[in-house]
């Protein structure tokens, strides 16, 4: 099976949101999200409008069909009034029937290479602690960086793309794009998902 990773184009947007929804439409995740529907397809849609980095929105194809996607967005580490820009990774999605075939791996490896090429200093994000260490991600606590509330846990991870970059913000706190603010977005997500489903049914 040949996996090709390339940049996302405008004409891919609908398909990418569809596979994102499918990848995250499992019971445990929806329960945890507390909205009653998956929300990651809304995130991808919203990130393209604000804070998403389009050069780091990549799709994986097999036989010319998009089966996976990853995107990064702008985030920052704040420390004593200073701001260090970093990348936030995610969402990453692989269509359920294509999972565990190396597609996520191909997307993440390409993303790291591209982000380095573009000159970004570091990636920080929240994700599955059992999956990401294979790519070189370590707990953010190793860089002495905490979440926006001052906490650390194993699902908060990072990687320097430029060696020593995160030491510039040692002791700092990580802030993601405003789109991750649940209170702000709950209703937008529900509305987006309802319209998304209608569009799928009638297409
Ligand atoms: C998580 C996800 C992106 C992984 O992509 P994938 O294409 O299925 O994973 P890969 O085949 O590239 O996995 C690479 C390696 O990681 C391992 N792996 C895959 N998923 C894993 C998981 N959930 N936990 C632990 N290890 C995992 C695989 O066994 C594989 O190891 P191998 O070298 O033995 O083959 C994909 O399963 C997905 O879209 N899941 C639903 C959405 C989601 O949870 N996204 C991430 C939220 S943080």
């Amino acid at each position: 099976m040949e996996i090709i990773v390339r940049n996302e184009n405008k004409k891919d947007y609908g398909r990418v949101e569809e596979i994102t929804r499918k990848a995250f439409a499992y019971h445990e995740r929806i329960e945890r999200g507390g909205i009653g529907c998956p929300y990651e397809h809304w995130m991808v849609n919203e990130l393209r409008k604000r804070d998403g980095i389009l050069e780091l929105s990549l799709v994986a194809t097999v036989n010319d069909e998009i089966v996976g996607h990853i995107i990064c967005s702008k985030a920052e580490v704040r420390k004593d009034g200073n701001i260090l820009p970093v990348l936030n990774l995610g969402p990453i999605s692989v269509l359920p029937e294509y999972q565990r075939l190396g597609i996520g791996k191909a997307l993440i490896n390409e993303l790291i290479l591209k982000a380095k090429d573009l000159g970004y200093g570091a990636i920080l994000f929240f994700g599955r602690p059992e999956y990401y260490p294979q790519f070189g991600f370590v707990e953010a606590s190793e860089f002495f960086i905490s979440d926006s509330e001052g906490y650390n846990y194993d699902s908060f991870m990072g990687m320097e793309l430029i060696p020593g970059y995160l030491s510039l913000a040692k002791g700092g706190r990580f802030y993601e794009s405003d789109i991750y603010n649940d209170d702000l977005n709950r209703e937008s997500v529900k509305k987006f998902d309802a319209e998304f489903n209608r569009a799928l049914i009638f297409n």
Side-chain angles (χ1 to χ4, degrees):
M1 185 180 78
E2 193 191 6
I3 304 165
I4 295 174
V5 177
R6 61 162 173 82
N7 279 91
E8 185 194 35
N9 297 316
K10 272 196 175 144
K11 60 176 173 19
D12 303 326
Y13 285 5
R15 167 78 177 167
V16 163
E17 287 162 24
E18 197 181 326
I19 65 156
T20 304
R21 190 182 193 284
K22 284 186 176 157
F24 283 96
Y26 55 93
H27 183 69
E28 176 205 346
R29 180 86 185 189
I30 295 175
E31 283 277 291
R32 191 149 32 97
I35 298 178
C37 62
Y39 53 88
E40 290 77 7
H41 56 322
W42 172 86
M43 273 181 189
V44 169
N45 183 281
E46 196 66 20
L47 284 174
R48 294 200 201 92
K49 292 182 262 181
R50 50 184 178 131
D51 293 329
I53 297 165
L54 297 182
E55 300 107 303
L56 294 177
S57 184
L58 309 178
V59 295
T61 66
V62 171
N63 296 329
D64 279 339
E65 275 286 297
I66 297 173
V67 294
H69 171 257
I70 191 168
I71 188 167
C72 276
S73 54
K74 291 180 201 157
E76 52 197 41
V77 180
R78 299 182 195 160
K79 168 83 196 302
D80 299 334
N82 294 318
I83 288 176
L84 185 71
V86 293
L87 292 174
N88 181 14
L89 179 149
I92 171 171
S93 312
V94 174
L95 208 53
E97 55 271 36
Y98 283 87
Q99 287 175 8
R100 302 264 174 165
L101 297 173
I103 289 163
K105 200 175 200 167
L107 281 165
I108 294 171
N109 284 331
E110 184 62 21
L111 182 107
I112 293 169
L113 287 177
K114 276 219 152 79
K116 278 187 186 166
D117 268 4
L118 291 167
Y120 288 99
I123 301 174
L124 285 167
F125 70 109
F126 305 101
R128 294 168 180 242
E130 66 282 10
Y131 182 60
Y132 295 94
Q134 63 184 305
F135 305 102
F137 292 100
V138 296
E139 285 191 35
S141 58
E142 294 202 19
F143 303 110
F144 303 95
I145 289 166
S146 60
D147 72 6
S148 61
E149 316 244 283
Y151 297 110
N152 281 96
Y153 27 84
D154 61 0
S155 58
F156 178 33
M157 292 169 277
M159 174 192 283
E160 288 181 330
L161 302 172
I162 299 174
Y165 185 81
L166 289 173
S167 64
L168 299 170
K170 230 176 184 173
R173 293 185 178 195
F174 173 62
Y175 290 83
E176 304 173 278
S177 163
D178 278 348
I179 81 146
Y180 291 94
N181 182 342
D182 282 345
D183 294 340
L184 199 71
N185 296 316
R186 222 178 164 72
E187 289 312 313
S188 325
V189 173
K190 278 193 194 165
K191 186 165 177 281
F192 180 82
D193 190 56
E195 284 166 8
F196 193 82
N197 278 335
R198 262 199 299 278
L200 284 183
I201 291 163
F202 291 114
N203 271 338

